[in-house]
């Protein structure tokens, strides 16, 4: 659990650090910090709120997926396979099924449990040879098709959030510039330069905030995608090894 908390802290720090760097850069260049209150209350304010909402949604999704991939799916696949291999060599399939049953809450454990139960039932009723091998392969494939999509489920939302946050930022900038230029039409000559500068600065803030949300979201998605791929690769590798090991024991 401590490892999970460290990863959650990493995700939170990533968001905060991105915002802090953006604000610090503005302060160094302009001598003043970013007036976020003015941005949120100005014309682009609606877009700013939407972008922040997307950032919160992204953070919640990241925590949920990190719990699934980092805690729920945490599993010693190599040790699990080696334990099963000993039982399979001795054709102790009931014992192998008991081992898998203890890990049914893991994706890999469920797939192996389902495959071995179907195979053992078919073996007990007298199926042999190629027919039994086909039953074994089909039961592993069926369980994999059922459970593996759950590992990668929801990752596409990170791409969508990043794209929408960026586009909302650009849209907020466009609307902000339109209102800024419209305001110049009725402004006194002496105030026009100041109003134009403030209007452009406020409008560009939405683009900046959109990128601030999009960049960490894509980084988090890449990290979670890597973990999901490692899990599915392990399932594929040890499924093939287990099926081959069982096939060696099947008599034609």
């Amino acid at each position: 659990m401590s490892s999970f908390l460290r990863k959650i802290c990493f995700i939170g720090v990533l968001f905060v650090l991105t915002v802090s760097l953006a604000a610090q850069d503005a302060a160094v260049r302009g001598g003043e910090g970013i007036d976020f209150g003015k941005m949120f209350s100005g014309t682009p304010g609606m877009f700013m709120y939407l972008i922040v909402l997307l950032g919160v949604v992204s953070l919640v999704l990241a925590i949920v997926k990190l719990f699934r991939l980092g805690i729920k799916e945490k599993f010693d696949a190599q040790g699990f396979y080696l334990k099963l291999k000993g039982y399979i060599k001795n054709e102790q399939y009931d014992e192998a099924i008991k081992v898998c049953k203890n890990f049914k809450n893991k994706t890999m454990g469920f797939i192996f449990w389902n495959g071995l139960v179907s195979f053992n039932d078919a073996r007990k009723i007298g199926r042999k040879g190629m027919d039994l091998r086909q039953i074994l392969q089909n039961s592993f494939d069926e369980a994999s098709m059922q459970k593996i999509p759950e590992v990668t489920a929801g990752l596409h939302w990170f791409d969508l959030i990043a794209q929408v946050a960026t586009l909302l930022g650009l849209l907020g900038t466009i609307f902000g510039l339109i209102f800024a230029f419209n305001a110049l039409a009725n402004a006194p000559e002496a105030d026009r330069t100041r109003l134009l500068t403030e209007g452009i600065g406020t409008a560009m803030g939405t683009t900046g905030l959109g990128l601030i949300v999009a960049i960490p979201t894509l980084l988090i998605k890449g990290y979670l995608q890597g973990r999901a791929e490692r899990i599915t690769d392990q399932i594929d590798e040890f499924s093939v090894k287990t099926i081959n090991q069982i096939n060696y024991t099947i008599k034609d």
Side-chain angles (χ1 to χ4, degrees), residues 32 36 41 57 86 91 94 96 114 131 143 147 149 162 167 194 224 230:
E32 297 178 358
F36 285 105
S41 62
V57 172
E91 298 187 34
D94 289 330
N114 185 84
D131 186 27
K147 298 298 290 186
L167 292 175
R194 178 182 59 80
L224 294 174
R230 285 195 293 273

Side-chain angles (χ1 to χ4, degrees), residues 75-173:
F75 190 54
D76 181 10
Q78 179 73 30
F80 175 74
Y81 166 72
L82 291 176
K83 192 170 185 179
L84 288 181
K85 184 178 179 180
Y87 289 124
I88 291 171
K89 276 187 174 181
N90 298 320
E91 298 187 34
Q92 296 176 295
Y93 296 112
D94 289 330
E95 294 301 319
I97 290 171
K98 289 179 182 178
V99 173
C100 295
K101 189 175 181 179
N102 293 330
F103 297 97
K104 278 179 63 177
N105 62 323
K106 314 288 186 183
T107 299
M108 184 172 177
F110 177 86
I111 292 172
F112 277 58
W113 173 81
N114 185 84
L116 289 176
V117 166
S118 298
F119 164 78
N120 200 37
D121 289 344
R123 186 178 67 91
K124 287 180 178 179
I125 63 175
R127 300 290 186 89
K128 295 181 180 179
M130 185 57 66
D131 186 27
L132 187 56
R133 291 189 178 94
Q134 191 63 51
I135 290 173
L136 174 66
Q137 184 68 56
N138 288 344
S139 28
F140 268 84
D141 289 345
E142 179 184 355
S144 297
M145 291 174 65
Q146 176 184 347
K147 298 298 290 186
I148 287 181
E150 295 179 5
V151 175
T152 57
L155 292 179
H156 67 283
W157 288 110
F158 292 99
D159 288 324
L160 182 61
I161 288 172
Q163 293 172 13
V164 172
T166 303
L167 292 175
L168 281 175
L170 292 174
L171 189 59
T173 296

Side-chain angles (χ1 to χ4, degrees), residues 215-239:
I215 293 172
T217 297
L218 290 176
L219 291 175
I220 292 169
K221 191 260 183 176
Y223 172 77
L224 294 174
Q225 183 73 50
R227 290 195 64 88
E229 288 177 357
R230 285 195 293 273
I231 292 171
T232 55
D233 287 345
Q234 285 182 336
I235 292 173
D236 291 341
E237 175 187 354
F238 292 113
S239 291

Side-chain angles (χ1 to χ4, degrees), residues 15 19 36 39-40 44-59 161-173 202-217:
F15 272 97
V19 175
F36 285 105
M39 291 182 181
F40 278 88
M46 177 184 67
F47 298 98
M48 300 283 279
Y49 284 112
L50 290 174
I51 294 170
V52 169
L53 178 60
L54 287 175
V56 173
V57 172
S58 175
L59 187 59
I161 288 172
Q163 293 172 13
V164 172
T166 303
L167 292 175
L168 281 175
L170 292 174
L171 189 59
T173 296
T202 302
M204 294 298 292
T206 58
T207 298
L209 185 61
L211 294 175
I212 287 172
V213 171
I215 293 172
T217 297

Side-chain angles (χ1 to χ4, degrees), residues 28-74:
V28 170
R29 288 184 289 103
E32 297 178 358
I34 298 175
D35 189 353
F36 285 105
K38 185 175 181 180
M39 291 182 181
F40 278 88
S41 62
T43 300
M46 177 184 67
F47 298 98
M48 300 283 279
Y49 284 112
L50 290 174
I51 294 170
V52 169
L53 178 60
L54 287 175
V56 173
V57 172
S58 175
L59 187 59
V60 172
L61 286 175
I63 293 172
V64 171
K65 288 302 296 183
L66 187 58
F67 175 80
R68 172 67 191 269
L69 300 179
I71 301 298
K72 189 176 179 181
E73 294 292 344
K74 191 174 183 180

